[in-house]
PDB file of all heavy atoms in Angstrom:
ATOM      1  N   GLY A 635     -28.531  -5.554 -29.560  1.00  0.00           N
ATOM      2  CA  GLY A 635     -28.356  -4.173 -29.935  1.00  0.00           C
ATOM      3  C   GLY A 635     -27.089  -3.543 -29.431  1.00  0.00           C
ATOM      4  O   GLY A 635     -26.988  -2.332 -29.385  1.00  0.00           O
ATOM      5  N   PHE A 636     -26.122  -4.361 -29.029  1.00  0.00           N
ATOM      6  CA  PHE A 636     -24.944  -3.790 -28.407  1.00  0.00           C
ATOM      7  C   PHE A 636     -23.663  -4.322 -29.027  1.00  0.00           C
ATOM      8  O   PHE A 636     -23.612  -5.426 -29.544  1.00  0.00           O
ATOM      9  CB  PHE A 636     -24.924  -4.098 -26.899  1.00  0.00           C
ATOM     10  CG  PHE A 636     -26.141  -3.606 -26.193  1.00  0.00           C
ATOM     11  CD1 PHE A 636     -27.208  -4.454 -25.960  1.00  0.00           C
ATOM     12  CD2 PHE A 636     -26.243  -2.296 -25.787  1.00  0.00           C
ATOM     13  CE1 PHE A 636     -28.332  -4.009 -25.320  1.00  0.00           C
ATOM     14  CE2 PHE A 636     -27.371  -1.833 -25.142  1.00  0.00           C
ATOM     15  CZ  PHE A 636     -28.418  -2.700 -24.910  1.00  0.00           C
ATOM     16  N   PHE A 637     -22.627  -3.484 -28.930  1.00  0.00           N
ATOM     17  CA  PHE A 637     -21.291  -3.915 -29.302  1.00  0.00           C
ATOM     18  C   PHE A 637     -20.571  -4.405 -28.045  1.00  0.00           C
ATOM     19  O   PHE A 637     -21.012  -4.169 -26.932  1.00  0.00           O
ATOM     20  CB  PHE A 637     -20.500  -2.747 -29.897  1.00  0.00           C
ATOM     21  CG  PHE A 637     -20.995  -2.292 -31.230  1.00  0.00           C
ATOM     22  CD1 PHE A 637     -21.904  -1.253 -31.332  1.00  0.00           C
ATOM     23  CD2 PHE A 637     -20.544  -2.882 -32.390  1.00  0.00           C
ATOM     24  CE1 PHE A 637     -22.356  -0.819 -32.560  1.00  0.00           C
ATOM     25  CE2 PHE A 637     -20.982  -2.462 -33.628  1.00  0.00           C
ATOM     26  CZ  PHE A 637     -21.890  -1.427 -33.709  1.00  0.00           C
ATOM     27  N   HIS A 638     -19.458  -5.039 -28.233  1.00  0.00           N
ATOM     28  CA  HIS A 638     -18.624  -5.380 -27.098  1.00  0.00           C
ATOM     29  C   HIS A 638     -17.179  -5.313 -27.556  1.00  0.00           C
ATOM     30  O   HIS A 638     -16.891  -5.420 -28.738  1.00  0.00           O
ATOM     31  CB  HIS A 638     -18.942  -6.768 -26.548  1.00  0.00           C
ATOM     32  CG  HIS A 638     -18.792  -7.861 -27.567  1.00  0.00           C
ATOM     33  ND1 HIS A 638     -17.594  -8.451 -27.855  1.00  0.00           N
ATOM     34  CD2 HIS A 638     -19.712  -8.432 -28.386  1.00  0.00           C
ATOM     35  CE1 HIS A 638     -17.776  -9.384 -28.792  1.00  0.00           C
ATOM     36  NE2 HIS A 638     -19.040  -9.379 -29.136  1.00  0.00           N
ATOM     37  N   GLY A 639     -16.285  -5.097 -26.630  1.00  0.00           N
ATOM     38  CA  GLY A 639     -14.879  -5.030 -26.999  1.00  0.00           C
ATOM     39  C   GLY A 639     -14.279  -3.690 -26.649  1.00  0.00           C
ATOM     40  O   GLY A 639     -14.692  -3.028 -25.712  1.00  0.00           O
ATOM     41  N   GLU A 640     -13.293  -3.283 -27.424  1.00  0.00           N
ATOM     42  CA  GLU A 640     -12.513  -2.103 -27.100  1.00  0.00           C
ATOM     43  C   GLU A 640     -12.638  -1.024 -28.160  1.00  0.00           C
ATOM     44  O   GLU A 640     -11.670  -0.349 -28.479  1.00  0.00           O
ATOM     45  CB  GLU A 640     -11.036  -2.507 -26.913  1.00  0.00           C
ATOM     46  CG  GLU A 640     -10.809  -3.496 -25.793  1.00  0.00           C
ATOM     47  CD  GLU A 640     -11.197  -2.910 -24.434  1.00  0.00           C
ATOM     48  OE1 GLU A 640     -11.043  -1.677 -24.258  1.00  0.00           O
ATOM     49  OE2 GLU A 640     -11.659  -3.664 -23.569  1.00  0.00           O
ATOM     50  N   GLN A 641     -13.825  -0.862 -28.717  1.00  0.00           N
ATOM     51  CA  GLN A 641     -13.981   0.147 -29.758  1.00  0.00           C
ATOM     52  C   GLN A 641     -13.859   1.553 -29.175  1.00  0.00           C
ATOM     53  O   GLN A 641     -14.167   1.789 -28.006  1.00  0.00           O
ATOM     54  CB  GLN A 641     -15.357   0.016 -30.435  1.00  0.00           C
ATOM     55  CG  GLN A 641     -15.586  -1.274 -31.180  1.00  0.00           C
ATOM     56  CD  GLN A 641     -16.159  -2.368 -30.311  1.00  0.00           C
ATOM     57  OE1 GLN A 641     -16.281  -2.224 -29.113  1.00  0.00           O
ATOM     58  NE2 GLN A 641     -16.514  -3.482 -30.936  1.00  0.00           N
ATOM     59  N   GLU A 642     -13.401   2.490 -30.020  1.00  0.00           N
ATOM     60  CA  GLU A 642     -13.429   3.892 -29.639  1.00  0.00           C
ATOM     61  C   GLU A 642     -14.897   4.335 -29.616  1.00  0.00           C
ATOM     62  O   GLU A 642     -15.748   3.758 -30.290  1.00  0.00           O
ATOM     63  CB  GLU A 642     -12.639   4.740 -30.652  1.00  0.00           C
ATOM     64  CG  GLU A 642     -11.132   4.511 -30.605  1.00  0.00           C
ATOM     65  CD  GLU A 642     -10.426   5.362 -29.557  1.00  0.00           C
ATOM     66  OE1 GLU A 642     -11.095   5.796 -28.586  1.00  0.00           O
ATOM     67  OE2 GLU A 642      -9.210   5.578 -29.695  1.00  0.00           O
ATOM     68  N   PRO A 643     -15.222   5.397 -28.835  1.00  0.00           N
ATOM     69  CA  PRO A 643     -16.631   5.737 -28.666  1.00  0.00           C
ATOM     70  C   PRO A 643     -17.340   6.210 -29.919  1.00  0.00           C
ATOM     71  O   PRO A 643     -18.564   6.242 -29.957  1.00  0.00           O
ATOM     72  CB  PRO A 643     -16.610   6.842 -27.599  1.00  0.00           C
ATOM     73  CG  PRO A 643     -15.221   7.251 -27.439  1.00  0.00           C
ATOM     74  CD  PRO A 643     -14.344   6.165 -27.975  1.00  0.00           C
ATOM     75  N   TRP A 644     -16.600   6.615 -30.971  1.00  0.00           N
ATOM     76  CA  TRP A 644     -17.320   7.025 -32.174  1.00  0.00           C
ATOM     77  C   TRP A 644     -17.966   5.837 -32.880  1.00  0.00           C
ATOM     78  O   TRP A 644     -18.768   6.005 -33.781  1.00  0.00           O
ATOM     79  CB  TRP A 644     -16.405   7.785 -33.138  1.00  0.00           C
ATOM     80  CG  TRP A 644     -15.089   7.133 -33.422  1.00  0.00           C
ATOM     81  CD1 TRP A 644     -14.840   6.036 -34.196  1.00  0.00           C
ATOM     82  CD2 TRP A 644     -13.815   7.556 -32.936  1.00  0.00           C
ATOM     83  NE1 TRP A 644     -13.508   5.746 -34.202  1.00  0.00           N
ATOM     84  CE2 TRP A 644     -12.843   6.681 -33.441  1.00  0.00           C
ATOM     85  CE3 TRP A 644     -13.416   8.609 -32.112  1.00  0.00           C
ATOM     86  CZ2 TRP A 644     -11.490   6.805 -33.148  1.00  0.00           C
ATOM     87  CZ3 TRP A 644     -12.059   8.725 -31.833  1.00  0.00           C
ATOM     88  CH2 TRP A 644     -11.115   7.832 -32.345  1.00  0.00           C
TER      89      TRP A 644
END
Side-chain angles (χ1 to χ4, degrees):
F636 303 96
F637 291 94
H638 58 84
E640 299 297 328
Q641 296 89 353
E642 290 275 23
W644 49 74

